[in-house]
Amino acid sequence: MAKNDVALRVNDVSICFNLSKEKVDNFKELFIKKLKGEKLRFNEFWALKDVSFELKKGQTLGIIGATGSGKSTILQLLMRFYDADAGTIRIHGRD
């Protein structure tokens, strides 16, 4: 397969989010916690881990899965709303 036949290549892409262990309702609460010297604790959440696929020119792709399976996250990575923590995304004509 020629390199220019590939429209999209996703290679070993992973992204991790830090989710707060405690609920903070607003900026004021967060500010008060910081003033008191309290540290917020977080849980790591891997939304995607080592995802790879390739799409040739003219092909279509459907993304299906259960709630929380990373469908929106992969689309947001493709649109460059997020940067991947690991791996590469190559869109024909862009890096």
Side-chain angles (χ1 to χ4, degrees):
M1 171 176 52
K3 183 179 178 181
N4 58 358
D5 288 344
V6 177
L8 172 65
R9 180 176 287 132
V10 175
N11 189 33
D12 294 327
V13 169
S14 299
I15 186 167
C16 181
F17 295 102
N18 289 319
L19 301 179
S20 178
K21 287 184 177 183
E22 51 203 73
K23 185 177 177 189
V24 178
D25 289 325
N26 55 47
F27 184 75
K28 180 180 173 183
E29 274 187 49
L30 178 64
F31 186 73
I32 291 170
K33 284 181 180 280
K34 290 281 188 182
L35 280 177
K36 291 180 177 179
E38 296 178 25
K39 295 201 185 251
L40 293 178
R41 295 173 295 160
F42 297 95
N43 285 328
E44 269 189 357
F45 172 73
W46 287 93
L48 299 171
K49 199 154 194 176
D50 300 327
V51 174
S52 297
F53 62 90
E54 191 172 270
L55 191 64
K56 295 178 187 174
K57 287 183 181 178
Q59 289 183 319
T60 57
L61 173 70
I63 302 174
I64 59 173
T67 302
S69 62
K71 301 178 299 290
S72 294
T73 303
I74 193 71
L75 292 173
Q76 290 170 340
L77 284 166
L78 294 174
M79 295 299 297
R80 310 280 189 201
F81 292 145
Y82 296 137
D83 291 324
D85 291 321
T88 57
I89 297 174
R90 296 196 63 126
I91 300 171
H92 180 69
R94 299 190 319 187
D95 285 342

